[in-house]
Amino acid sequence: MSTIKPLLSVRNLTKRFGPGCEDCESLTGPTQNRNQCPTCKTILGCGEVSFDLYPNEVLGIVGESGSGKTTLLRALHFDFEVTSGEMFFSYLSENNELTDLIKQIQDVNLFTTTNYVKRKVRNFLTGIIYQNPLMGINLNISAGGNIAEKMLMAEWRNLQTIRNRSKYLFQKTEMPLERIDQSPKDFSGGMQQRVQISKALASNPVLLFLDEVTTGLDLSVQAGVLDLIRNIQREFRFSMIVISHDFGVIRLLTERCMVMKNGKVIEHGLTDQILEDPVHPYTQLLVSSQL
Amino acid sequence: MNNIILQVENLEKKFELYLPEKKVFFAFQNINFNLYQGEFFSISGPSGSGKSSLLKCLYRTYKTTKGSIFYRSSRYGIVDFTKLQEQSVLNIRSNEMSYVSQFLNVIPRISALNLVAEPLIRKNIPQGIAIERAKEMLSRLNIPTNLFDSSPLTFSGGEKQRVNIARAVIWNPSLLLLDEPTASLDEKSEKIVKKILVTMKKSGSTLIGIFHNKKLINQISDRVFLFRKEE
Ligand SMILES: Nc1ncnc2c1ncn2[C@@H]1O[C@H](COP(=O)(O)OP(=O)(O)OP(=O)(O)O)[C@@H](O)[C@H]1O
Ligand SMILES: Nc1ncnc2c1ncn2[C@@H]1O[C@H](COP(=O)(O)OP(=O)(O)O)[C@@H](O)[C@H]1O
Ligand SMILES: [Mg+2]
Ligand SMILES: [Mg+2]
Ligand SMILES: [Zn+2]
C-alpha cells in the first residue's frame, strides 16, 4: 500500500468571533441552524474543521453566504489567531533555501508557532487570491511592483531575477506587457484579478488559496480567469483550496470538495459524487439551486 | 480464484431525497456477482431498473448504502472500493479504472483533442506524444479532422459519444465501465467501437457494459447479468 503524505493536515480548526461561553458549542451549528450563540452573541466562524490536502490537489469549499468559508481560508493564511485546532505542513523541497524552514515546521502545529514562523510559511510557501482584488494588490504602486513585492517578502534578492519573473508572469496571465509599469488602478476587474494571480504565484508557492476569485467579474471574463487558473495549476502542479458558491467553478477546478453550513463541514466527498449524489438535505438544496 | 478483479456483495443503493418532499426508494438491492480479469460482462434490464446507478456505485460517483465492492487494485491490492479513501479512489480513476457515461459531461472551452489527450498528460506522458495519440484515436473513431480543435459541446450526439469513448479508452485502463456508449451511434461507428472494445479485452482489460443492442450484447459479452425492476 503506497501512501502519499498530505501537504497540509488540518484538525479540529475552530474560530469563534467573541468571548465564547459554555453554551456556544451546543447552541450553534447546522443542527441549530445558526452561527451566533444566543447567550453570549459570539459568532462561530468555523468549527471543528478537519481535512487533508495532498500535493498537486485542488480542494473545493462550497456553502451559502456566511457559512465560514472565508474564515476557514483566512485562518489557514494566519490572517488572525484561531480559537483552537491544529495545522501541519509537510513538504519535500528540492529548493535548498527552504530546507531550514521545512525542518523547522516538521510535525509542528503551525497555529501555535511564533509569528515569525507563520510569516515565513505564508510568504515562502503560500499565496492567496481574494475575491476583491483591492485586498490583494496595492493601487499606489505599479502592477509589476505588486508582483515584485511578493518575491521581496520571500526574500528574493536579485532585482533582475525579480524583474524578469514579473514580466514572465505578466505574459503567463495574458496581460499586455507594455502595461506592467502602470498602476492597476486603471485596470479592468479582470485585469486586476490577473495581477493578483501573478502576485500570488510570484514566489513559487506550493499552496494557493482562492476566495471567490471570479465573483463580480462578467461572465466572459470569468471564463478566461478560470481557464487561466486551471491551466496554471496543471502546469505548475501546486495545491489549491478553492472557495466558491458556484458549483460550476467547483466542477471545473476540483476533484474533491467540502460543503459548509453554519460554520461546520456537513458533507465532503469526490466532487462528482457531491454533485450527482448529494446526501445531506442541505447539499441537495444547494445542488438543485444551481442554475 | 485469484483472477477475480471485482467482487460485489449484497450491494444496495438507496436514495433519500428531501426535495420537494422526503422520498426514500431503492435503485437496487441485494446485488451479488464476481467479475474475472479479462472478462466482458454485460448488464441488461428495463429502463429505471438501476443499471446506471450500479455502474456509478462501482465508480464511486454514487455512494453505496449497503454491501461491499472488493476491487483488486494493482496499486493498493484488494480494497473495499465503497470505503476506500477518496485520494486513493482518484488515483485508481486516473491509473486503473475508466468510465464512459451515458451522457457527455465535459468542461466547456476545451477542444476535443485536448480532452482526449488529457488522461495521458495526467499520467505524465509528454504533451506532444499525448496529442499525437489523441489525434490517432479520434481519427480511428471517425471524428472529422476539422472538429479536433472545437469543443465537443457543439458536436452531434454521436460525435460527442465517440469523444467520450476516445477519452476513456486512450490510456488502456485495466477496468472499463461503459454506460450505453453506443446508444446514439450509427452502425458503422458502432462497429468501430466494438472493434476497439474487443481489442482492449484481448490485451487483458476487463469490461462492464450496459448496451441496448441485443445483437451487440450477444456478440461481445462473456456473461450477461439481468436486472429486474425494483418494486
Ligand atoms: N472579523 C470578524 N468579526 C466578527 N464576525 C466575523 C468576522 N469575520 C467573519 N465573521 C462572521 O463569521 C461568519 C462567517 O463569515 P465568512 O466571511 O467566513 O463567511 P463566508 O462563508 O466566506 O461567506 P460569503 O460567501 O458571503 O463570503 C459570518 O457570520 C461573519 O459575519
Ligand atoms: N442521482 C439520483 N438521484 C435520485 N434518483 C436517482 C439518481 N440516479 C438514479 N436515480 C433513480 O434510480 C432509479 C434507477 O435509475 P438508473 O440507474 O438510471 O436506471 P437504468 O440505468 O437502469 O435505466 C430510477 O428510479 C432513477 O430515477
Ligand atoms: Mg467569503
Ligand atoms: Mg441508464
Ligand atoms: Zn456563547
Side-chain angles (χ1 to χ4, degrees), chain B residues 161-217:
Chain B
Q161 206 153 39
R162 276 175 281 153
V163 171
N164 219 5
I165 293 169
R167 191 174 146 83
V169 304
I170 190 163
W171 54 281
N172 262 316
S174 52
L175 178 61
L176 179 60
L177 314 174
L178 303 143
D179 194 347
E180 311 208 19
T182 55
S184 31
L185 298 188
D186 56 30
E187 221 167 305
K188 191 171 153 219
S189 311
E190 192 185 89
K191 267 209 182 108
I192 299 171
V193 172
K194 188 181 123 189
K195 215 169 134 193
I196 292 176
L197 298 181
V198 168
T199 314
M200 281 187 68
K201 182 174 133 78
K202 277 197 186 126
S203 74
S205 295
T206 311
L207 297 92
I208 309 183
I210 302 170
F211 299 94
H212 257 124
N213 183 341
K214 288 265 152 39
K215 205 172 113 205
L216 182 69
I217 297 179

Short mmCIF file of all heavy atoms in Angstrom, two decimals, chain B residues 161-217:
data_model
loop_
_atom_site.label_atom_id
_atom_site.label_comp_id
_atom_site.label_asym_id
_atom_site.label_seq_id
_atom_site.Cartn_x
_atom_site.Cartn_y
_atom_site.Cartn_z
N GLN B 161 -20.45 11.22 -28.20
CA GLN B 161 -20.29 9.92 -27.59
C GLN B 161 -18.95 9.29 -27.98
O GLN B 161 -18.29 8.66 -27.15
CB GLN B 161 -21.43 9.02 -28.03
CG GLN B 161 -21.71 7.94 -27.02
CD GLN B 161 -23.15 7.48 -27.07
OE1 GLN B 161 -23.74 7.37 -28.14
NE2 GLN B 161 -23.72 7.20 -25.93
N ARG B 162 -18.52 9.52 -29.21
CA ARG B 162 -17.25 8.95 -29.65
C ARG B 162 -16.06 9.63 -28.96
O ARG B 162 -15.07 8.99 -28.63
CB ARG B 162 -17.13 9.01 -31.17
CG ARG B 162 -17.84 7.82 -31.83
CD ARG B 162 -17.83 7.92 -33.33
NE ARG B 162 -18.84 8.86 -33.81
CZ ARG B 162 -18.75 9.54 -34.95
NH1 ARG B 162 -17.68 9.40 -35.71
NH2 ARG B 162 -19.71 10.36 -35.32
N VAL B 163 -16.19 10.95 -28.72
CA VAL B 163 -15.13 11.66 -27.99
C VAL B 163 -15.03 11.09 -26.57
O VAL B 163 -13.96 10.83 -26.03
CB VAL B 163 -15.42 13.17 -27.93
CG1 VAL B 163 -14.43 13.87 -26.99
CG2 VAL B 163 -15.36 13.79 -29.32
N ASN B 164 -16.21 10.87 -26.01
CA ASN B 164 -16.30 10.31 -24.67
C ASN B 164 -15.60 8.96 -24.59
O ASN B 164 -14.86 8.68 -23.64
CB ASN B 164 -17.80 10.13 -24.39
CG ASN B 164 -18.15 10.46 -22.98
OD1 ASN B 164 -17.31 10.92 -22.21
ND2 ASN B 164 -19.40 10.23 -22.62
N ILE B 165 -15.83 8.13 -25.61
CA ILE B 165 -15.20 6.81 -25.65
C ILE B 165 -13.69 6.95 -25.84
O ILE B 165 -12.90 6.31 -25.14
CB ILE B 165 -15.81 5.96 -26.79
CG1 ILE B 165 -17.28 5.65 -26.45
CG2 ILE B 165 -15.03 4.67 -26.98
CD1 ILE B 165 -18.05 5.05 -27.59
N ALA B 166 -13.30 7.85 -26.73
CA ALA B 166 -11.88 8.05 -27.01
C ALA B 166 -11.13 8.39 -25.73
O ALA B 166 -10.07 7.86 -25.43
CB ALA B 166 -11.70 9.17 -28.05
N ARG B 167 -11.73 9.29 -24.97
CA ARG B 167 -11.13 9.77 -23.73
C ARG B 167 -10.96 8.64 -22.71
O ARG B 167 -10.00 8.61 -21.96
CB ARG B 167 -12.06 10.85 -23.19
CG ARG B 167 -11.55 11.67 -22.08
CD ARG B 167 -12.59 12.77 -21.84
NE ARG B 167 -12.67 13.11 -20.44
CZ ARG B 167 -11.83 13.97 -19.86
NH1 ARG B 167 -10.90 14.55 -20.55
NH2 ARG B 167 -11.96 14.22 -18.58
N ALA B 168 -11.92 7.73 -22.71
CA ALA B 168 -11.89 6.65 -21.72
C ALA B 168 -10.97 5.51 -22.11
O ALA B 168 -10.39 4.86 -21.24
CB ALA B 168 -13.30 6.13 -21.47
N VAL B 169 -10.82 5.26 -23.41
CA VAL B 169 -10.04 4.07 -23.79
C VAL B 169 -8.60 4.38 -24.16
O VAL B 169 -7.76 3.49 -24.19
CB VAL B 169 -10.70 3.26 -24.94
CG1 VAL B 169 -12.12 2.88 -24.57
CG2 VAL B 169 -10.68 4.04 -26.23
N ILE B 170 -8.29 5.66 -24.40
CA ILE B 170 -6.97 6.01 -24.94
C ILE B 170 -5.83 5.55 -24.04
O ILE B 170 -4.74 5.21 -24.51
CB ILE B 170 -6.87 7.51 -25.25
CG1 ILE B 170 -5.59 7.79 -26.04
CG2 ILE B 170 -6.91 8.34 -23.97
CD1 ILE B 170 -5.56 9.12 -26.74
N TRP B 171 -6.06 5.49 -22.74
CA TRP B 171 -4.95 5.14 -21.84
C TRP B 171 -4.99 3.70 -21.38
O TRP B 171 -4.28 3.32 -20.45
CB TRP B 171 -4.90 6.11 -20.66
CG TRP B 171 -6.17 6.25 -19.87
CD1 TRP B 171 -7.27 6.99 -20.21
CD2 TRP B 171 -6.48 5.64 -18.61
NE1 TRP B 171 -8.24 6.88 -19.24
CE2 TRP B 171 -7.78 6.07 -18.24
CE3 TRP B 171 -5.78 4.79 -17.75
CZ2 TRP B 171 -8.40 5.66 -17.05
CZ3 TRP B 171 -6.40 4.39 -16.56
CH2 TRP B 171 -7.68 4.83 -16.24
N ASN B 172 -5.81 2.86 -22.07
CA ASN B 172 -5.84 1.44 -21.76
C ASN B 172 -6.07 1.10 -20.30
O ASN B 172 -5.25 0.40 -19.69
CB ASN B 172 -4.53 0.79 -22.19
CG ASN B 172 -4.70 0.14 -23.53
OD1 ASN B 172 -5.70 -0.55 -23.76
ND2 ASN B 172 -3.75 0.38 -24.42
N PRO B 173 -7.18 1.54 -19.73
CA PRO B 173 -7.45 1.23 -18.33
C PRO B 173 -7.63 -0.28 -18.16
O PRO B 173 -8.04 -0.96 -19.11
CB PRO B 173 -8.76 1.95 -18.07
CG PRO B 173 -9.42 2.07 -19.40
CD PRO B 173 -8.30 2.25 -20.38
N SER B 174 -7.32 -0.79 -16.96
CA SER B 174 -7.48 -2.24 -16.80
C SER B 174 -8.94 -2.61 -16.52
O SER B 174 -9.34 -3.74 -16.74
CB SER B 174 -6.55 -2.78 -15.72
OG SER B 174 -6.71 -2.04 -14.55
N LEU B 175 -9.74 -1.64 -16.03
CA LEU B 175 -11.17 -1.90 -15.86
C LEU B 175 -11.94 -0.75 -16.50
O LEU B 175 -11.71 0.42 -16.19
CB LEU B 175 -11.52 -2.02 -14.37
CG LEU B 175 -13.00 -2.24 -14.04
CD1 LEU B 175 -13.53 -3.53 -14.64
CD2 LEU B 175 -13.22 -2.24 -12.52
N LEU B 176 -12.86 -1.11 -17.40
CA LEU B 176 -13.60 -0.08 -18.12
C LEU B 176 -15.10 -0.27 -17.88
O LEU B 176 -15.65 -1.34 -18.09
CB LEU B 176 -13.28 -0.18 -19.61
CG LEU B 176 -13.96 0.81 -20.55
CD1 LEU B 176 -13.61 2.24 -20.18
CD2 LEU B 176 -13.55 0.54 -22.00
N LEU B 177 -15.75 0.80 -17.41
CA LEU B 177 -17.19 0.78 -17.18
C LEU B 177 -17.88 1.56 -18.29
O LEU B 177 -17.54 2.72 -18.53
CB LEU B 177 -17.52 1.41 -15.82
CG LEU B 177 -16.68 0.99 -14.62
CD1 LEU B 177 -17.02 1.82 -13.39
CD2 LEU B 177 -16.91 -0.49 -14.32
N LEU B 178 -18.84 0.94 -18.96
CA LEU B 178 -19.46 1.59 -20.11
C LEU B 178 -20.97 1.69 -19.94
O LEU B 178 -21.64 0.67 -19.82
CB LEU B 178 -19.18 0.76 -21.37
CG LEU B 178 -17.73 0.49 -21.74
CD1 LEU B 178 -17.57 -0.91 -22.30
CD2 LEU B 178 -17.25 1.52 -22.74
N ASP B 179 -21.50 2.88 -19.94
CA ASP B 179 -22.95 3.06 -19.80
C ASP B 179 -23.55 3.49 -21.13
O ASP B 179 -23.52 4.66 -21.50
CB ASP B 179 -23.25 4.11 -18.72
CG ASP B 179 -24.72 4.06 -18.30
OD1 ASP B 179 -25.52 3.42 -19.01
OD2 ASP B 179 -25.06 4.68 -17.27
N GLU B 180 -24.10 2.54 -21.84
CA GLU B 180 -24.71 2.75 -23.16
C GLU B 180 -23.85 3.63 -24.06
O GLU B 180 -24.30 4.66 -24.55
CB GLU B 180 -26.10 3.39 -22.99
CG GLU B 180 -26.93 2.62 -21.97
CD GLU B 180 -28.41 2.71 -22.22
OE1 GLU B 180 -28.80 3.03 -23.35
OE2 GLU B 180 -29.17 2.41 -21.29
N PRO B 181 -22.62 3.21 -24.30
CA PRO B 181 -21.70 4.06 -25.06
C PRO B 181 -22.04 4.12 -26.54
O PRO B 181 -21.50 4.95 -27.26
CB PRO B 181 -20.35 3.39 -24.85
CG PRO B 181 -20.69 1.95 -24.65
CD PRO B 181 -22.01 1.93 -23.93
N THR B 182 -22.91 3.22 -26.99
CA THR B 182 -23.17 3.19 -28.43
C THR B 182 -24.60 3.61 -28.76
O THR B 182 -25.05 3.48 -29.89
CB THR B 182 -22.92 1.77 -28.99
OG1 THR B 182 -23.71 0.84 -28.25
CG2 THR B 182 -21.47 1.39 -28.88
N ALA B 183 -25.31 4.15 -27.75
CA ALA B 183 -26.74 4.44 -27.92
C ALA B 183 -27.03 5.37 -29.10
O ALA B 183 -28.00 5.17 -29.81
CB ALA B 183 -27.32 5.01 -26.63
N SER B 184 -26.20 6.40 -29.31
CA SER B 184 -26.53 7.30 -30.43
C SER B 184 -25.58 7.15 -31.61
O SER B 184 -25.35 8.10 -32.35
CB SER B 184 -26.61 8.75 -29.94
OG SER B 184 -25.73 8.98 -28.87
N LEU B 185 -25.02 5.97 -31.76
CA LEU B 185 -24.08 5.77 -32.88
C LEU B 185 -24.76 5.06 -34.05
O LEU B 185 -25.62 4.21 -33.86
CB LEU B 185 -22.89 4.93 -32.42
CG LEU B 185 -22.01 5.52 -31.32
CD1 LEU B 185 -20.78 4.66 -31.12
CD2 LEU B 185 -21.62 6.95 -31.64
N ASP B 186 -24.33 5.41 -35.27
CA ASP B 186 -24.82 4.65 -36.42
C ASP B 186 -24.08 3.32 -36.48
O ASP B 186 -23.13 3.08 -35.72
CB ASP B 186 -24.65 5.46 -37.72
CG ASP B 186 -23.20 5.88 -37.92
OD1 ASP B 186 -22.29 5.16 -37.47
OD2 ASP B 186 -22.98 6.93 -38.53
N GLU B 187 -24.52 2.47 -37.41
CA GLU B 187 -24.00 1.11 -37.45
C GLU B 187 -22.49 1.06 -37.65
O GLU B 187 -21.77 0.29 -37.02
CB GLU B 187 -24.69 0.34 -38.57
CG GLU B 187 -25.04 -1.09 -38.17
CD GLU B 187 -25.99 -1.70 -39.18
OE1 GLU B 187 -27.05 -1.10 -39.44
OE2 GLU B 187 -25.65 -2.75 -39.74
N LYS B 188 -22.03 1.96 -38.51
CA LYS B 188 -20.62 1.97 -38.85
C LYS B 188 -19.76 2.34 -37.61
O LYS B 188 -18.79 1.66 -37.29
CB LYS B 188 -20.39 2.98 -39.98
CG LYS B 188 -19.01 2.89 -40.58
CD LYS B 188 -18.89 3.75 -41.84
CE LYS B 188 -17.47 4.19 -42.05
NZ LYS B 188 -17.39 5.57 -42.54
N SER B 189 -20.18 3.40 -36.92
CA SER B 189 -19.43 3.81 -35.72
C SER B 189 -19.51 2.73 -34.65
O SER B 189 -18.54 2.48 -33.93
CB SER B 189 -19.98 5.11 -35.15
OG SER B 189 -20.12 6.08 -36.14
N GLU B 190 -20.68 2.11 -34.55
CA GLU B 190 -20.83 1.07 -33.54
C GLU B 190 -19.83 -0.06 -33.80
O GLU B 190 -19.20 -0.58 -32.86
CB GLU B 190 -22.26 0.52 -33.55
CG GLU B 190 -22.54 -0.34 -32.32
CD GLU B 190 -23.91 -0.99 -32.38
OE1 GLU B 190 -24.00 -2.10 -32.92
OE2 GLU B 190 -24.87 -0.38 -31.87
N LYS B 191 -19.65 -0.40 -35.06
CA LYS B 191 -18.69 -1.44 -35.43
C LYS B 191 -17.27 -1.06 -35.00
O LYS B 191 -16.52 -1.89 -34.48
CB LYS B 191 -18.71 -1.65 -36.95
CG LYS B 191 -19.66 -2.74 -37.37
CD LYS B 191 -19.19 -3.42 -38.69
CE LYS B 191 -20.18 -4.48 -39.12
NZ LYS B 191 -20.95 -4.04 -40.32
N ILE B 192 -16.93 0.21 -35.24
CA ILE B 192 -15.58 0.67 -34.88
C ILE B 192 -15.38 0.56 -33.37
O ILE B 192 -14.37 0.06 -32.88
CB ILE B 192 -15.37 2.13 -35.33
CG1 ILE B 192 -15.51 2.23 -36.86
CG2 ILE B 192 -14.01 2.64 -34.88
CD1 ILE B 192 -15.53 3.65 -37.37
N VAL B 193 -16.40 1.02 -32.63
CA VAL B 193 -16.31 0.96 -31.16
C VAL B 193 -16.18 -0.48 -30.70
O VAL B 193 -15.35 -0.80 -29.85
CB VAL B 193 -17.54 1.64 -30.51
CG1 VAL B 193 -17.55 1.41 -29.01
CG2 VAL B 193 -17.54 3.13 -30.82
N LYS B 194 -16.98 -1.33 -31.30
CA LYS B 194 -16.94 -2.73 -30.93
C LYS B 194 -15.53 -3.29 -31.11
O LYS B 194 -14.99 -3.98 -30.24
CB LYS B 194 -17.93 -3.51 -31.81
CG LYS B 194 -18.11 -4.96 -31.39
CD LYS B 194 -19.07 -5.68 -32.31
CE LYS B 194 -18.38 -6.88 -32.90
NZ LYS B 194 -19.18 -7.51 -33.97
N LYS B 195 -14.92 -2.92 -32.23
CA LYS B 195 -13.58 -3.41 -32.53
C LYS B 195 -12.57 -2.93 -31.47
O LYS B 195 -11.74 -3.70 -30.99
CB LYS B 195 -13.15 -2.90 -33.91
CG LYS B 195 -12.31 -3.89 -34.66
CD LYS B 195 -12.14 -3.49 -36.11
CE LYS B 195 -10.68 -3.62 -36.52
NZ LYS B 195 -10.41 -2.95 -37.79
N ILE B 196 -12.71 -1.67 -31.10
CA ILE B 196 -11.81 -1.12 -30.07
C ILE B 196 -11.98 -1.86 -28.75
O ILE B 196 -11.00 -2.23 -28.08
CB ILE B 196 -12.06 0.39 -29.89
CG1 ILE B 196 -11.62 1.14 -31.15
CG2 ILE B 196 -11.33 0.94 -28.65
CD1 ILE B 196 -11.90 2.63 -31.13
N LEU B 197 -13.24 -2.12 -28.38
CA LEU B 197 -13.50 -2.79 -27.11
C LEU B 197 -12.96 -4.23 -27.13
O LEU B 197 -12.37 -4.70 -26.15
CB LEU B 197 -15.00 -2.79 -26.80
CG LEU B 197 -15.64 -1.40 -26.62
CD1 LEU B 197 -17.12 -1.52 -26.29
CD2 LEU B 197 -14.91 -0.60 -25.55
N VAL B 198 -13.14 -4.89 -28.24
CA VAL B 198 -12.64 -6.26 -28.35
C VAL B 198 -11.11 -6.29 -28.26
O VAL B 198 -10.53 -7.15 -27.59
CB VAL B 198 -13.14 -6.92 -29.67
CG1 VAL B 198 -12.41 -8.23 -29.94
CG2 VAL B 198 -14.64 -7.17 -29.59
N THR B 199 -10.47 -5.30 -28.89
CA THR B 199 -9.00 -5.21 -28.79
C THR B 199 -8.56 -5.00 -27.35
O THR B 199 -7.58 -5.61 -26.89
CB THR B 199 -8.48 -4.03 -29.65
OG1 THR B 199 -9.12 -4.08 -30.92
CG2 THR B 199 -6.98 -4.09 -29.81
N MET B 200 -9.30 -4.15 -26.65
CA MET B 200 -8.93 -3.91 -25.24
C MET B 200 -9.04 -5.18 -24.43
O MET B 200 -8.18 -5.48 -23.61
CB MET B 200 -9.87 -2.85 -24.64
CG MET B 200 -9.50 -1.45 -25.02
SD MET B 200 -10.50 -0.29 -24.11
CE MET B 200 -9.90 -0.52 -22.45
N LYS B 201 -10.13 -5.92 -24.67
CA LYS B 201 -10.33 -7.17 -23.95
C LYS B 201 -9.18 -8.13 -24.24
O LYS B 201 -8.63 -8.75 -23.32
CB LYS B 201 -11.67 -7.77 -24.38
CG LYS B 201 -12.02 -9.06 -23.67
CD LYS B 201 -13.41 -9.50 -24.05
CE LYS B 201 -13.46 -10.97 -24.41
NZ LYS B 201 -13.46 -11.86 -23.26
N LYS B 202 -8.80 -8.22 -25.50
CA LYS B 202 -7.70 -9.11 -25.87
C LYS B 202 -6.40 -8.74 -25.17
O LYS B 202 -5.58 -9.59 -24.84
CB LYS B 202 -7.49 -9.06 -27.39
CG LYS B 202 -8.45 -9.98 -28.11
CD LYS B 202 -7.97 -10.26 -29.54
CE LYS B 202 -9.03 -11.05 -30.30
NZ LYS B 202 -9.39 -10.39 -31.57
N SER B 203 -6.23 -7.44 -24.94
CA SER B 203 -4.99 -7.01 -24.29
C SER B 203 -5.07 -7.14 -22.77
O SER B 203 -4.17 -6.72 -22.06
CB SER B 203 -4.66 -5.57 -24.70
OG SER B 203 -5.52 -4.69 -24.03
N GLY B 204 -6.17 -7.72 -22.27
CA GLY B 204 -6.22 -8.03 -20.85
C GLY B 204 -7.15 -7.17 -20.00
O GLY B 204 -7.31 -7.42 -18.81
N SER B 205 -7.76 -6.16 -20.58
CA SER B 205 -8.66 -5.31 -19.81
C SER B 205 -9.96 -6.06 -19.50
O SER B 205 -10.36 -6.95 -20.22
CB SER B 205 -9.02 -4.05 -20.60
OG SER B 205 -7.89 -3.25 -20.80
N THR B 206 -10.58 -5.65 -18.39
CA THR B 206 -11.88 -6.18 -18.02
C THR B 206 -12.92 -5.12 -18.33
O THR B 206 -12.69 -3.94 -18.07
CB THR B 206 -11.90 -6.50 -16.51
OG1 THR B 206 -10.73 -7.25 -16.20
CG2 THR B 206 -13.14 -7.26 -16.11
N LEU B 207 -14.07 -5.52 -18.89
CA LEU B 207 -15.07 -4.53 -19.27
C LEU B 207 -16.44 -4.86 -18.71
O LEU B 207 -16.85 -6.03 -18.70
CB LEU B 207 -15.16 -4.42 -20.80
CG LEU B 207 -13.90 -3.94 -21.53
CD1 LEU B 207 -13.03 -5.10 -21.94
CD2 LEU B 207 -14.27 -3.11 -22.75
N ILE B 208 -17.13 -3.84 -18.20
CA ILE B 208 -18.51 -3.99 -17.79
C ILE B 208 -19.32 -3.02 -18.62
O ILE B 208 -19.01 -1.83 -18.64
CB ILE B 208 -18.75 -3.62 -16.31
CG1 ILE B 208 -17.75 -4.35 -15.42
CG2 ILE B 208 -20.17 -3.92 -15.89
CD1 ILE B 208 -17.99 -4.07 -13.96
N GLY B 209 -20.36 -3.50 -19.28
CA GLY B 209 -21.09 -2.59 -20.15
C GLY B 209 -22.59 -2.73 -20.07
O GLY B 209 -23.13 -3.81 -19.79
N ILE B 210 -23.26 -1.62 -20.27
CA ILE B 210 -24.72 -1.61 -20.44
C ILE B 210 -24.95 -1.25 -21.91
O ILE B 210 -24.46 -0.23 -22.39
CB ILE B 210 -25.37 -0.54 -19.55
CG1 ILE B 210 -25.03 -0.78 -18.08
CG2 ILE B 210 -26.87 -0.50 -19.77
CD1 ILE B 210 -25.44 0.38 -17.18
N PHE B 211 -25.66 -2.14 -22.63
CA PHE B 211 -25.96 -1.87 -24.04
C PHE B 211 -27.43 -2.15 -24.30
O PHE B 211 -28.03 -2.99 -23.63
CB PHE B 211 -25.13 -2.79 -24.96
CG PHE B 211 -23.66 -2.60 -24.81
CD1 PHE B 211 -22.93 -3.41 -23.94
CD2 PHE B 211 -22.98 -1.63 -25.53
CE1 PHE B 211 -21.57 -3.25 -23.79
CE2 PHE B 211 -21.62 -1.46 -25.39
CZ PHE B 211 -20.91 -2.27 -24.52
N HIS B 212 -27.98 -1.47 -25.26
CA HIS B 212 -29.37 -1.76 -25.60
C HIS B 212 -29.48 -2.78 -26.73
O HIS B 212 -30.41 -3.55 -26.78
CB HIS B 212 -30.09 -0.46 -25.97
CG HIS B 212 -30.96 0.00 -24.85
ND1 HIS B 212 -30.87 1.24 -24.27
CD2 HIS B 212 -31.93 -0.67 -24.16
CE1 HIS B 212 -31.73 1.32 -23.28
NE2 HIS B 212 -32.38 0.18 -23.20
N ASN B 213 -28.48 -2.74 -27.60
CA ASN B 213 -28.49 -3.57 -28.78
C ASN B 213 -28.23 -5.05 -28.43
O ASN B 213 -27.11 -5.44 -28.09
CB ASN B 213 -27.42 -3.03 -29.73
CG ASN B 213 -27.37 -3.78 -31.03
OD1 ASN B 213 -27.88 -4.90 -31.13
ND2 ASN B 213 -26.76 -3.15 -32.02
N LYS B 214 -29.28 -5.87 -28.51
CA LYS B 214 -29.20 -7.28 -28.10
C LYS B 214 -28.12 -8.04 -28.90
O LYS B 214 -27.39 -8.85 -28.36
CB LYS B 214 -30.56 -7.98 -28.32
CG LYS B 214 -31.61 -7.54 -27.31
CD LYS B 214 -31.68 -8.50 -26.13
CE LYS B 214 -32.16 -7.85 -24.84
NZ LYS B 214 -33.22 -6.85 -24.91
N LYS B 215 -28.07 -7.72 -30.19
CA LYS B 215 -27.12 -8.40 -31.06
C LYS B 215 -25.69 -8.13 -30.58
O LYS B 215 -24.88 -9.04 -30.45
CB LYS B 215 -27.32 -7.92 -32.51
CG LYS B 215 -26.86 -8.95 -33.52
CD LYS B 215 -27.25 -8.53 -34.93
CE LYS B 215 -26.00 -8.21 -35.73
NZ LYS B 215 -26.23 -7.29 -36.83
N LEU B 216 -25.46 -6.86 -30.29
CA LEU B 216 -24.14 -6.46 -29.82
C LEU B 216 -23.80 -7.17 -28.51
O LEU B 216 -22.69 -7.69 -28.33
CB LEU B 216 -24.10 -4.93 -29.64
CG LEU B 216 -22.77 -4.35 -29.20
CD1 LEU B 216 -21.75 -4.47 -30.31
CD2 LEU B 216 -22.92 -2.89 -28.81
N ILE B 217 -24.77 -7.22 -27.61
CA ILE B 217 -24.54 -7.89 -26.32
C ILE B 217 -24.10 -9.33 -26.56
O ILE B 217 -23.11 -9.79 -25.99
CB ILE B 217 -25.82 -7.87 -25.45
CG1 ILE B 217 -26.20 -6.44 -25.11
CG2 ILE B 217 -25.62 -8.70 -24.18
CD1 ILE B 217 -27.46 -6.31 -24.27
#
